[in-house]
Amino acid sequence: MAWITCDFYSETLELSTGIEVFLPQAKLMTSGSSSRLPVLYLLHGRGADQTEWMRRSSIERYAENKGIALVMPGVGRSYYMDMANGPSYFTFLSEELPQLVQSFFPVSRRREDTFVAGISMGGYGAFKLVLTYPERYAAGASLSGGLDLASRAAGRGFQEAEIRTLFGSVDRLEGSRDDLLYLASEFAAYQGEKPMLYQCCGTEDFLYKDNQTFRQCADSLGIHITYEEEPGGHEWGYWDRKIQRVLDWLPLP
């Protein structure tokens, strides 16, 4: 695969940012110039950046025969949201970034070719995208995601200064568009074709309870999720194994 580091200025964020991109060379060489690649947006965890997937996993090796482009954005510690006192990262991720990626690289604009997955904070971001915009994604995957954000914030999962920066107040989270449990109810009522959902978490992970809460909420709403759990913690040995499962699960042509 070709590895491309792409730096650019974001009008939404009003700052310079960057993405890491893998493109499958064999696919490009054998397909006509009009061919557009399916694309998987890979979201990093809290405290990391856009290089995390490349440094901590073997994602390039796993994806090289899948004929898929990988796009890895960096969002700092924003929790993939429009921050109360900071840049609008969710708007950047959902609106500006796909348009830029489609203009820079030969990736498909079709819903059925567009996927998102993430670990930890990125698992929250991936599910937030597909639950908010089911018409834009064919599949979304959360690996050990922080899926019950309101409870995590109320239970001292964040420092006070970080709460003010991200949310403004913990009280505004529950029932808001940053609350995946609320978004799940809207998703359940959506009448169009729903994206496929994949969720996994290790049973020793500190976010295991959050994942059970979200799973139970989805079950109560009749939302189908491919759910897997096994022994494992909040660490890259587990995620490196599970991303291979995600790549096999994606509805690729």
Side-chain angles (χ1 to χ4, degrees), residues 36-231:
R36 311 290 288 187
L37 295 162
V39 57
L40 170 63
Y41 292 88
L42 280 174
L43 309 185
H44 65 75
R46 188 175 173 191
D49 63 15
Q50 63 266 34
T51 67
E52 182 176 39
W53 278 98
M54 302 183 316
R55 293 186 295 108
R56 307 299 297 275
S57 78
S58 295
I59 186 65
E60 179 182 9
R61 182 162 55 86
Y62 302 147
E64 66 181 341
N65 294 321
K66 297 290 186 180
I68 189 171
L70 306 178
V71 176
M72 294 156 278
V75 303
R77 292 174 67 93
S78 69
Y79 236 86
Y80 298 92
M81 63 176 54
D82 289 345
M83 302 163 71
N85 296 288
S88 297
Y89 275 101
F90 186 69
T91 299
F92 164 72
L93 191 70
S94 60
E95 304 293 340
E96 184 181 19
L97 182 62
Q99 294 179 27
L100 290 173
V101 168
Q102 290 160 10
S103 68
F104 293 159
F105 305 106
V107 302
S108 175
R109 291 175 167 81
R110 302 192 311 160
R111 172 193 181 273
E112 53 265 45
D113 295 329
T114 305
F115 318 108
V116 60
I119 57 157
S120 193
M121 180 184 83
Y124 165 86
F127 269 14
K128 184 177 178 181
L129 281 169
V130 296
L131 295 179
T132 304
Y133 298 114
E135 73 279 8
R136 299 184 187 179
Y137 299 91
S142 168
L143 286 67
S144 310
L147 304 184
D148 186 6
L149 187 59
S151 295
R152 285 263 302 138
R156 305 193 179 199
F158 296 85
Q159 296 179 355
E160 198 63 39
E162 192 169 29
I163 287 174
R164 289 194 298 272
T165 300
L166 289 173
F167 323 125
S169 167
V170 171
D171 297 338
R172 65 156 287 276
L173 271 178
E174 188 172 355
S176 75
R177 302 201 66 77
D178 293 319
D179 181 359
L180 297 188
L181 305 184
Y182 169 76
L183 292 177
S185 64
E186 288 197 341
F187 181 84
Y190 177 66
Q191 295 300 305
E193 185 176 1
K194 290 182 172 66
M196 297 166 51
L197 298 178
Y198 173 90
Q199 178 189 358
C200 69
C201 190
T203 52
E204 286 71 51
D205 196 306
F206 73 94
L207 290 176
Y208 180 72
K209 182 179 178 182
D210 292 42
N211 277 264
Q212 290 301 301
T213 299
F214 182 84
R215 182 191 180 196
Q216 291 161 11
C217 173
D219 283 348
S220 71
L221 292 167
I223 297 172
H224 174 71
I225 299 178
T226 299
Y227 177 83
E228 296 178 346
E229 67 174 56
E230 63 256 68

